[in-house]
Amino acid sequence: MSAPHRLDRGHTDDLMTFLAASPTPYHAVANAAERLEKAGFRQVSETDAWDGSSGGKYVLRGGAIIAWYVPESAAPHTPYRIVGAHTDSPNLRVKPLPDSGAHGWRQVAVEIYGGPLMNSWLDRDLGLAGRLTLRDGSTRLVNVDRPLLRVPQLAIHLDRAVSSDGLKLDKQRHLQPVWGLGDDVRDGDLIAFLEEELGLGAGEVTGWDLMTHSVEAPAYLGRDKELVAGPRMDNLLSVHAGVAALAAVSSGEPPYIPVLAAFDHEENGSQSDTGADGPLLGGVLERSVFARGGSYEDRARAFAGTVCLSSDTGHAVHPNYAERHDPTHHPRVNGGPILKVNVNNRYATDGSGRAVWAAACERAGVPFQSFVSNNSMPCGTTIGPITAARHGIKTVDIGVAILSMHSVRELCGADDPHLLANALVAFLEG
């Protein structure tokens, strides 16, 4: 038997560390910022005046981060090369009145965020993480990364029809997790527990953005460890690759200004102040032009020459459901990143954008595949068309092919993450 083929797994090892440390968008952007700081980037505040200095800079807003590197040779009209991604994933999020329960069980009231595969959340050991806002207006991140909650599935003895009719879940009644026992449900218990976890005083927390996550660690899978199983690959896999690529090009003099734009709220439409359909990216790019002494004409020239790669996960061909895929487009894991095409503009790719992507992959020595949806099935979408339409920027949709998208635990090829990162480096370098 021949030895298994393995590429350098250092990037994928680091991806698994990033996934485990980023249970929420707020943690993801904090971890991204920490990595960029080590590469020489510095945070700039949206409320301060910006200068035209060169170097790496980033803006944090909630669960979004925009980071860019200005070469010393950059002119006010220098175009941007943007890697776009999103930080959010479908999950169960805590309601404003979180304390509930019945029949001797203490529960946490949750709301469905995005479009999760709901059955994948059953019988999982769940932690709780997110952002707490304190009475003084400051925020603190919290991560209870241990088994705290569980959504117990109904025993088959009490639902014999599940074997013949399939599992049917009511989003309101069947997905509320348990976290203890007792008939005396008291308002404020959950937040008081989190205040104690962080060493805060009672009543100090006045606002929260909390969500559940599986505490099972990412892991290599398979006989030859060719696969990776883990949470939130859609789309922290792309965020991680974008951070690595931006850091890699931040010491040279690329002909473009490389940018990472990682947005929140893609899974529910991107319409927020931290989403791709909001003003964040456009405002940052414009302020960068003007800070370097540019005019509106320089801004228009810069945007006209800009290209964005919208990097998001896509669908690998499923061995048990191959008929759900287009018969001539079967992306395989570890076959390289995918170019995503839809003529009805659910993806933003066109022929000229394909040429930009193909050139980057050729320079990087990275193979790529094409993805098109089956004509009989609706096609998903990304931040790509939103970015193209809102900013007038040429945008190309790409990503990594995975299985089990929107599950609490997704599956990708172990080689694909760093193949994507290498292609992004070549793209950003121009």
Side-chain angles (χ1 to χ4, degrees):
M1 181 182 297
S2 62
H5 169 68
R6 291 182 184 174
L7 298 176
D8 177 17
R9 294 286 168 78
H11 178 90
T12 305
D13 292 341
D14 191 60
L15 167 64
M16 292 195 289
T17 299
F18 185 79
L19 292 174
S22 305
T24 76
Y26 313 111
H27 290 82
V29 299
N31 290 324
E34 182 180 1
R35 289 161 181 256
L36 290 171
E37 288 273 357
K38 292 178 180 178
F41 284 69
R42 61 181 178 86
Q43 184 176 1
V44 295
S45 171
E46 292 186 83
T47 59
D48 291 342
W50 292 5
D51 60 42
S53 60
S54 59
K57 308 173 185 182
Y58 67 91
V59 164
L60 290 181
R61 184 192 290 184
I65 182 170
I66 310 293
W68 66 103
Y69 173 74
V70 181
E72 291 185 4
S73 58
H77 61 271
T78 297
Y80 299 94
R81 282 285 175 103
I82 305 169
V83 172
H86 67 88
T87 61
D88 60 320
S89 300
N91 56 18
L92 310 179
R93 302 202 172 188
V94 175
K95 290 183 175 180
L97 300 176
D99 300 292
S100 68
H103 308 291
W105 293 97
R106 298 177 68 184
Q107 296 177 273
V108 174
V110 296
E111 188 174 3
I112 311 301
Y113 178 83
L117 285 173
M118 294 187 294
N119 62 292
S120 72
W121 287 86
L122 302 178
D123 297 330
R124 296 272 185 178
D125 295 338
L126 302 177
L128 190 66
R131 178 180 66 176
L132 301 175
T133 302
L134 309 187
R135 191 172 297 279
D136 63 4
S138 64
T139 59
R140 293 279 299 273
L141 297 185
V142 61
N143 183 11
V144 184
D145 194 30
R146 63 179 187 271
L148 181 69
L149 308 104
R150 187 178 180 92
V151 183
Q153 186 169 190
L154 184 64
I156 192 171
H157 312 80
L158 303 179
D159 185 15
R160 296 288 185 181
V162 70
S163 296
S164 56
D165 299 341
L167 180 64
K168 298 177 182 178
L169 295 172
D170 182 285
K171 294 180 180 180
Q172 178 63 36
R173 294 186 295 124
H174 298 153
L175 290 170
Q176 307 305 309
V178 299
W179 76 306
L181 300 174
D183 291 308
D184 56 336
V185 175
R186 297 179 296 272
D187 289 341
D189 272 1
L190 180 68
I191 301 306
F193 163 76
L194 295 176
E195 288 174 333
E196 185 176 346
E197 283 284 307
L198 290 181
L200 299 172
E204 203 168 341
V205 173
T206 56
W208 52 88
D209 302 280
L210 298 167
M211 56 204 77
T212 61
H213 66 277
S214 171
V215 298
E216 186 178 2
Y220 286 107
L221 183 145
R223 183 194 67 179
D224 297 326
K225 298 184 178 180
E226 298 170 297
L227 304 169
V228 172
R232 299 177 292 280
M233 291 182 184
D234 178 15
N235 186 34
L236 294 187
L237 188 158
S238 295
V239 175
H240 175 263
V243 170
L246 183 60
V249 304
S250 63
S251 59
E253 284 293 308
Y256 303 97
I257 296 175
V259 179
L260 170 67
F263 302 100
D264 201 352
H265 301 131
E266 189 271 349
E267 297 294 355
N268 60 9
S270 296
Q271 292 185 322
S272 70
D273 69 323
T274 54
D277 204 18
L280 180 58
L281 175 61
V284 168
L285 299 184
E286 289 179 347
R287 290 184 68 177
S288 178
V289 169
F290 299 149
R292 285 176 280 121
S295 63
Y296 182 82
E297 181 72 10
D298 292 313
R299 179 263 187 214
R301 292 174 66 189
F303 277 45
T306 293
V307 182
C308 173
L309 289 186
S310 165
S311 182
D312 204 346
T313 54
H315 303 295
V317 61
H318 196 301
N320 300 336
Y321 300 92
E323 74 280 359
R324 304 294 180 94
H325 299 263
D326 182 85
T328 60
H329 294 78
H330 282 176
R332 296 189 177 193
V333 297
N334 287 337
I338 56 174
L339 177 74
K340 301 158 79 171
V341 179
N342 180 263
V343 295
N344 292 302
N345 214 39
R346 300 292 285 173
Y347 303 131
T349 307
D350 63 9
S352 60
R354 184 189 190 281
V356 172
W357 170 242
C361 289
E362 182 177 0
R363 286 195 299 274
V366 169
F368 74 91
Q369 310 173 81
S370 294
F371 172 82
V372 177
S373 289
N374 187 306
N375 283 333
S376 300
M377 304 183 71
C379 179
T381 191
T382 68
I383 64 167
I386 294 171
T387 303
R390 182 170 184 85
H391 306 295
I393 290 172
K394 177 178 289 296
T395 304
V396 188
D397 272 295
I398 56 99
V400 163
I402 70 171
L403 293 183
S404 305
M405 187 183 295
H406 286 197
S407 170
V408 74
R409 196 165 177 84
E410 297 163 324
L411 187 69
C412 77
D415 294 334
D416 284 330
H418 87 267
L419 291 175
L420 172 65
N422 289 344
L424 296 183
V425 168
F427 167 73
L428 292 177
E429 286 179 336

